[in-house]
């Protein structure tokens, strides 16, 4: 199967490969997929806790070229968006931008899942942080 | 490792997929050429010179094929390829030996041409099939095989050398068991004939399939060896028509293809001793080259009983199709699901008990007659580079390095 030039570009020059500190309260981590299925994506966002803007995004992916390209593109799209805007990212945008063939749609779905999982993780951390603060306030 | 890339032609990927198909040897093409044009006769035309010269060429090729496997020329029939040969062998036996029984024993690591033929016969209620799992090294468990034979068993179908992992089965031992129990021994020997010694008598093989394009011959031609005595094997034809090939394979003979198959085998047998040595050396160099530079990689299948030119390695934490993309200078294949139409990882690796994740991470290198040492050096270099690069990008590698046991992680399957 021939890959689109955009997939090849992301595969050869992946944007934002790397890791953020999982324990950081401003960081949300999404880990989706399974090794047995042939794709695992780890996608992380660092959110400005004041403004809710995603200031950094990183990924690591085990998978085919289309999976790598989907997660690479996702990190690019996430940067600069607010959490609310990021929640609206749809896999179809990735499909269109990367010209993914039908057999590779699942790669874009996985990337969307990874975004959602990272956001959810960030929100959970923030909720826990608020709860802690309230507890501390009540005990004070 | 510094490589002088200028001496390698990198305008196209280097071909290292000789278990899939092989380029035709120019000597084979040369032998075939006249039979497309001036010597175009139908080998079944008995009353003119065109027919005679075609028939003569076919009979010469039949001798060449027979000689390559220690058979008699009368025991060779020509087909369109190994898939057809496999179909005739199994379906033909099930029909012909219906009175004796309907049980077939085969291996889970067989080619789809054998497995899917068996599955159809089961679906149609014509046969009962036992699919044996091989040992983790890919080799059949002989005790299990013998135990599986019943008084209804008519055939054991076990390939001589596997197309994915190159593992060679203990043919003489299997043949001995089959003979002892009066069961036909059929082997798909597509990957083995012309590459390693094959002898139908000492191995007690009754039916054997051959393909042209795996041995530097043309595509669209194959052969089937059908034993004529001790025991005399009879197979019902699958294609009805003019009754060519002793009634087992109707259809006008593909004379140029047959000439090519004969010539290809003649060359392969002549060059086998030196080629076996050369390819074993290159294959081991490739294996040692990547494995000495990369951690966590595993050879799939036995190293002791294996085709000289084949090596199949799983690179943990890296997905096969992603890796193939990084190996674009190299034409190889992977057992990853993404590379097959079925979206399932290799059934061969699964049958060996290789986990799905390592099956997804496998690369098959098939070295052949035209593979050079320089190309092997190049393959080592780009494999190491690509695996290292993708591991840096792999969350699994990162987790493993952090001491996380990947088997204990709760993955969300999709």
């Amino acid at each position: 199967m021939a890959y689109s030039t955009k997939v090849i570009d992301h595969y050869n020059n992946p944007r934002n490969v790397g890791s953020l500190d999982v324990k950081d309260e401003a960081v949300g981590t999404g880990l989706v997929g399974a090794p047995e299925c042939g794709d695992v994506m780890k996608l992380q966002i660092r959110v400005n806790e004041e403004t809710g803007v995603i200031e950094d995004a990183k990924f690591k992916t085990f998978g085919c070229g289309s999976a790598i390209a989907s997660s690479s593109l996702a990190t690019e799209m996430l940067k600069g968006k607010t959490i609310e805007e990021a929640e609206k990212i749809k896999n179809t945008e990735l499909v269109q931008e990367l010209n993914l063939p039908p057999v590779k749609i699942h790669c874009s779905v996985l990337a969307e899942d990874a975004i959602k999982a990272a956001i959810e993780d960030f929100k959970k951390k923030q909720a826990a942080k608020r709860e802690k603060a309230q507890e501390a306030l009540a005990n004070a | 490792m510094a490589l002088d890339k200028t001496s390698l032609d990198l305008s196209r990927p280097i071909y290292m997929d000789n278990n899939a198909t092989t380029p035709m040897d120019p000597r084979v093409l040369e032998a075939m050429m006249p039979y497309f044009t001036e010597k175009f006769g139908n080998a079944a035309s008995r009353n003119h010179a065109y027919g005679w010269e075609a028939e003569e060429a076919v009979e010469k090729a039949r001798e060449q094929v027979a000689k390559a496997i220690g058979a008699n020329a009368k025991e060779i029939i020509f087909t369109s390829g190994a898939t057809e040969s496999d179909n005739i062998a199994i379906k033909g036996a099930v029909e012909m030996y219906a009175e004796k029984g309907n049980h077939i024993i085969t291996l889970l690591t067989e080619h789809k041409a054998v497995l899917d033929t068996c599955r159809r016969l089961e679906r149609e209620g014509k046969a009962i099939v036992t699919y044996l799992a091989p040992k983790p090294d890919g080799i059949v468990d002989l005790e299990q095989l013998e135990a599986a034979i019943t008084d209804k068993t008519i055939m054991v179908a076990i390939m001589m050398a596997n197309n994915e992992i190159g593992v060679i089965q203990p043919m003489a031992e299997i043949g001995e068991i089959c003979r002892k129990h009066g069961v036909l021994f059929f082997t798909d020997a597509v990957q083995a004939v012309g590459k390693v010694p094959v002898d139908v008598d000492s191995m007690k093989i009754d039916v054997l399939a051959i393909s042209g394009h795996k041995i530097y011959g043309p595509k669209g031609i194959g052969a089937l060896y059908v034993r004529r005595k001790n025991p005399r094997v009879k197979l019902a034809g699958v294609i009805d028509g003019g009754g060519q090939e002793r009634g087992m394979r109707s259809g006008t003979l593909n004379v140029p293809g047959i000439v090519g198959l004969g010539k290809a085998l003649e060359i392969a047998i002549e060059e086998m001793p030196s080629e076996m040595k050369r390819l074993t050396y290159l294959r081991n160099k490739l294996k040692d080259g990547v494995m000495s530079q990369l951690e966590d990689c595993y050879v799939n299948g036995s190293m002791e009983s294996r085709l000289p030119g084949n090596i199949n390695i799983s690179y943990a934490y890296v997905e096969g199709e992603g890796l193939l993309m990084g190996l674009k200078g190299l034409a190889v294949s992977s057992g990853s699901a993404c590379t097959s139409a079925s979206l399932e990882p290799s059934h061969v690796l699964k049958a060996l008990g290789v986990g799905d994740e390592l099956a997804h991470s496998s690369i098959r290198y098939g070295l052949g007659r035209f593979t050079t040492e320089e190309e092997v050096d190049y393959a080592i270099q780009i494999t190491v580079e690509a695996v290292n690069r993708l591991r840096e990008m792999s969350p699994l590698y990162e987790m493993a390095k952090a001491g996380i046991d990947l088997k204990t992680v709760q993955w969300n399957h999709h």
Side-chain angles (χ1 to χ4, degrees):
Chain A
M1 184 181 37
Y3 296 95
S4 73
T5 46
K6 282 189 178 149
V7 169
I8 294 170
D9 180 41
H10 276 279
Y11 177 87
N12 288 332
N13 312 292
R15 331 299 197 245
N16 310 309
V17 175
S19 295
L20 300 172
D21 182 4
V22 183
K23 295 194 187 89
D24 189 331
E25 282 170 340
V27 170
T29 301
L31 182 68
V32 296
E36 306 89 84
C37 305
D39 317 89
V40 176
M41 286 182 190
K42 189 188 79 168
L43 194 145
Q44 294 181 299
I45 49 172
R46 184 198 302 284
V47 185
N48 183 317
E49 293 173 80
E50 307 279 299
T51 60
V53 171
I54 297 168
E55 290 181 336
D56 200 4
K58 296 273 184 206
F59 85 95
K60 284 204 173 188
T61 289
F62 163 85
C64 65
S66 303
I68 290 169
S70 294
S71 35
S72 169
L73 177 62
T75 57
E76 266 193 329
M77 290 168 73
L78 283 168
K79 279 194 190 179
K81 280 200 168 65
T82 64
I83 288 288
E84 289 70 36
E85 287 165 346
E87 279 175 326
K88 289 184 195 130
I89 295 175
K90 285 265 163 294
N91 79 297
T92 46
E93 294 171 57
L94 301 170
V95 172
Q96 220 165 27
E97 176 66 20
L98 293 171
N99 247 324
L100 295 180
V103 294
K104 294 296 179 188
I105 304 271
H106 71 274
C107 298
S108 67
V109 173
L110 200 61
E112 187 189 318
D113 289 349
I115 294 172
K116 297 225 155 81
I119 293 172
E120 198 187 329
D121 182 54
F122 169 74
K123 284 184 170 171
K124 250 190 218 161
K125 275 184 179 172
Q126 293 295 308
K129 191 178 165 184
R130 272 196 302 276
E131 216 168 280
K132 237 190 200 166
Q134 276 162 2
E135 254 173 54
L137 215 62
N139 293 340
Chain B
M1 182 174 19
L3 260 182
D4 178 14
K5 287 188 189 172
T6 51
S7 53
L8 275 180
D9 174 15
L10 297 175
S11 62
R12 296 213 302 163
I14 285 165
Y15 192 73
M16 242 177 237
D17 204 9
N18 285 283
N19 296 110
T21 194
T22 55
M24 211 155 74
D25 192 301
R27 292 169 288 182
V28 173
L29 179 63
E30 195 188 345
M32 290 168 69
M33 285 305 274
Y35 295 92
F36 286 108
T37 50
E38 71 264 29
K39 299 181 179 180
F40 61 86
N42 185 328
S45 296
R46 289 285 158 78
N47 39 18
H48 53 66
Y50 296 91
W52 301 333
E53 68 186 3
E55 190 189 10
E56 197 184 320
V58 167
E59 294 318 311
K60 183 185 168 197
R62 213 184 289 280
E63 292 282 351
Q64 288 167 319
V65 174
K67 206 176 153 199
I69 57 170
N72 185 297
K74 289 181 181 144
E75 299 175 305
I76 303 298
I77 68 166
F78 291 109
T79 67
S80 66
T83 293
E84 190 190 340
S85 294
D86 290 347
N87 271 266
I88 298 173
I90 299 169
K91 290 176 184 166
V94 165
E95 183 173 337
M96 200 55 97
Y97 294 89
E99 276 181 28
K100 183 187 181 250
N102 62 348
H103 181 226
I104 294 171
I105 300 168
T106 187
L107 271 186
L108 284 170
T109 47
E110 290 295 305
H111 192 273
K112 293 279 180 190
V114 167
L115 292 177
D116 285 0
T117 300
C118 287
R119 294 211 174 96
R120 175 185 290 275
L121 290 165
E122 281 183 296
R123 249 191 345 264
E124 293 175 348
K126 292 175 180 163
I128 291 165
V129 184
T130 300
Y131 302 90
L132 297 175
K135 295 184 282 186
D137 62 0
I139 292 173
V140 63
D141 182 330
L142 293 169
E143 282 176 25
Q144 234 182 54
L145 170 65
E146 187 158 16
I149 296 175
T150 71
D151 56 353
K152 290 283 177 214
T153 307
I154 53 171
M155 177 176 267
V156 166
I158 292 180
M159 74 204 315
M160 181 159 172
N162 187 272
N163 49 309
E164 288 188 33
I165 52 175
V167 165
I168 299 173
Q169 299 293 344
M171 300 306 281
E173 285 85 346
I174 300 170
E176 186 64 47
I177 290 171
C178 292
R179 198 58 62 83
K180 188 171 124 192
H181 293 276
V183 173
L184 294 180
F185 178 22
F186 161 57
T187 188
D188 176 332
V190 162
Q191 298 282 346
V193 170
K195 312 275 172 64
V196 290
V198 179
D199 182 74
V200 291
D201 282 337
S202 67
M203 294 173 172
K204 300 185 170 63
I205 295 164
D206 299 312
V207 185
L208 176 147
I210 295 175
S211 165
H213 74 102
K214 307 283 191 194
I215 48 172
Y216 313 94
K219 293 172 179 62
I221 190 71
L224 189 65
Y225 157 79
V226 186
R227 180 174 285 281
R228 267 170 80 93
K229 55 179 187 202
N230 308 319
R232 183 183 176 87
V233 179
K234 290 176 89 177
L235 301 175
V238 171
I239 295 175
D240 294 311
Q244 288 90 341
E245 301 298 89
R246 293 161 51 207
M248 280 184 273
R249 206 286 186 172
S250 287
T252 298
L253 292 177
N254 170 2
V255 179
I258 289 167
V259 168
L261 176 62
K263 184 67 185 174
L265 274 170
E266 184 189 87
I267 296 169
I269 298 302
E270 200 180 293
E271 299 182 351
M272 187 189 292
S274 57
E275 266 302 271
M276 282 180 70
K277 254 190 234 148
R278 193 183 72 90
L279 286 173
T280 304
Y281 164 75
L282 289 180
R283 189 269 316 274
N284 290 343
K285 182 172 188 186
L286 175 55
K287 173 182 82 84
D288 296 341
V290 294
M291 294 188 72
S292 63
Q293 296 180 69
L294 293 168
E295 53 185 354
D296 296 333
C297 36
Y298 310 93
V299 171
N300 295 308
S302 166
M303 266 322 280
E304 288 72 44
S305 184
R306 192 181 196 106
L307 288 174
N310 171 285
I311 190 75
N312 186 313
I313 302 176
S314 286
Y315 300 98
Y317 323 122
V318 171
E319 195 278 327
E321 192 190 349
L323 182 53
L324 285 183
M325 207 170 155
L327 299 177
K328 59 183 182 300
L330 206 58
V332 291
S333 63
S334 167
S336 159
C338 296
T339 61
S340 73
S342 66
L343 291 174
E344 281 284 318
S346 153
H347 73 280
V348 173
L349 299 182
K350 273 179 101 158
L352 261 55
V354 173
D356 276 4
E357 76 259 37
L358 279 177
H360 279 294
S361 302
S362 72
I363 297 287
R364 173 185 71 178
Y365 305 84
L367 280 52
R369 182 177 293 165
F370 304 105
T371 305
T372 64
E373 183 154 12
E374 218 182 1
E375 290 176 339
V376 168
D377 290 337
Y378 177 72
I380 295 168
Q381 184 193 322
I382 64 169
T383 300
V384 170
E385 282 170 8
V387 170
N388 280 332
R389 191 176 91 87
L390 289 171
R391 281 183 174 174
E392 283 310 311
M393 240 191 267
S394 166
L396 303 182
Y397 186 65
E398 184 182 59
M399 290 162 88
K401 287 286 112 181
I404 298 169
D405 182 357
L406 296 176
K407 288 194 175 63
T408 63
V409 177
Q410 279 286 324
W411 302 103
N412 49 9
H413 295 252
H414 52 286

